[in-house]
Structure formats: structure tokens, C-alpha cells
Amino acid sequence: MATVKRCFILMLFFVTLTLQPFSIYGGEHQGQKPKSGTAVSAVDPGKTPVFPSMPPPGKKVTIGSDHYIIYGFDKKPKLGTIIVKVEIYTRDGNKDTSFEVLADSGMPSMKGAHETGEQPLPVSKKGAYLLPVSIVMPGDWEIRITIKKDGKVVFRGSHQFDV
């Protein structure tokens, strides 16, 4: 009788251990939560901003009729940290740092896993807006740039690249 009782207790113990992970991940589990400030309401998908594809790095990208940007990387994208540099120019070629530039980077194939979240880019002494991007694994990557003037969005664009 004691052997049967021990067998029953051992089976109950192993069943409990086996089912425990399911109780942790069951129910309301939705995956990772987005970083604050980056979430877009799932209830209203119409508010998701569109980021059209930009020309390759080093090319002029027009912003309205009076400005253009030139963006690029400090080195060829590879594992490690790279710096995205965004420079804004007037039509006649003078740098203009009166804009607010926000950017985000991540892996489109792994949404939410490596996203930096939209953040303001500081302006360097040379008048370039800078974003450090930590490339943590090979694959497809994307940068998304938002430019504002007087609080209003005047430009959105994205660039995808492979590492």
C-alpha cells in the first residue's frame, strides 16, 4: 500500500512539473510589450504612420519645396554599433538644424524584438542628427525617420538594409 501511495505522489509531482509552464504562459499572454512612446493603438489601425522607402544612403531626399536631407551610415552596416547620420539642407545647400528629427530602428521580420523605439536625434557640432544603432544579429534591418517642423510632421521615410 505504501508503494502505491509513493507512486501516486511521484506521478502527481511529475504531472505538476510538466504542466507548470503552461500555466505561466496561458491566458492573456500577448508577447513582448512595446516600449513606451512607440505603441500605436491596436484598436485604431488607421493611426499607424506610413514610412515610404527612401532612395539609397548618400542621395538627396526632398522635404517639401525648400529643403532636402542626405542620410547615411558612418560605416557599412555590420554587427556592432553603427551611426546613422541625417543632415538637413536648404534648397541652396546650407545646413538647417531648426527641425526636430526622430528615428527608430529594428528588424522588420522580428517586430518588437530589437526595436529602439522612436527617439529624438541629438545634433552634433557639425550640424548632423545622429542615431546609434546596435546591430545585434544578421538579417534584415530598417531605419525609420520622422522630421518635424514647429511640431508638425513634414517628412517620414524608411530605409531597409541587410547585415
Side-chain angles (χ1 to χ4, degrees), residues 116-129:
T116 61
E118 190 173 67
Q119 54 188 294
L121 275 57
V123 182
S124 72
K125 291 178 183 177
K126 295 182 179 180
Y129 297 87

Side-chain angles (χ1 to χ4, degrees), residues 128-146:
Y129 297 87
L130 305 173
L131 172 71
V133 177
S134 183
I135 306 293
V136 296
M137 65 183 291
D140 60 324
W141 285 82
E142 178 181 40
I143 56 168
R144 291 169 294 279
I145 299 171
T146 301

Side-chain angles (χ1 to χ4, degrees), residues 3 14-15 17 24 35 37 39 44 50 53 68 71 84 87 89 91 93 96 102 106 110 121 123 133 135:
T3 308
F14 286 118
V15 167
L17 284 178
I24 293 172
K35 296 179 182 179
D44 190 1
V50 176
S53 184
Y68 64 90
Y71 74 97
V84 176
E87 296 174 296
Y89 295 92
R91 186 176 16 177
D96 186 346
L102 306 158
M110 299 179 71
L121 275 57
V123 182
V133 177
I135 306 293

Side-chain angles (χ1 to χ4, degrees), residues 95-114:
K95 282 191 181 178
D96 186 346
T97 58
S98 65
F99 290 83
E100 178 185 9
V101 179
L102 306 158
D104 178 23
S105 66
M107 297 184 78
S109 61
M110 299 179 71
K111 288 280 187 206
H114 303 293

Side-chain angles (χ1 to χ4, degrees), residues 40-42 44-51 156:
V40 176
S41 172
D44 190 1
K47 293 198 176 211
T48 303
V50 176
F51 291 87
R156 280 197 172 102

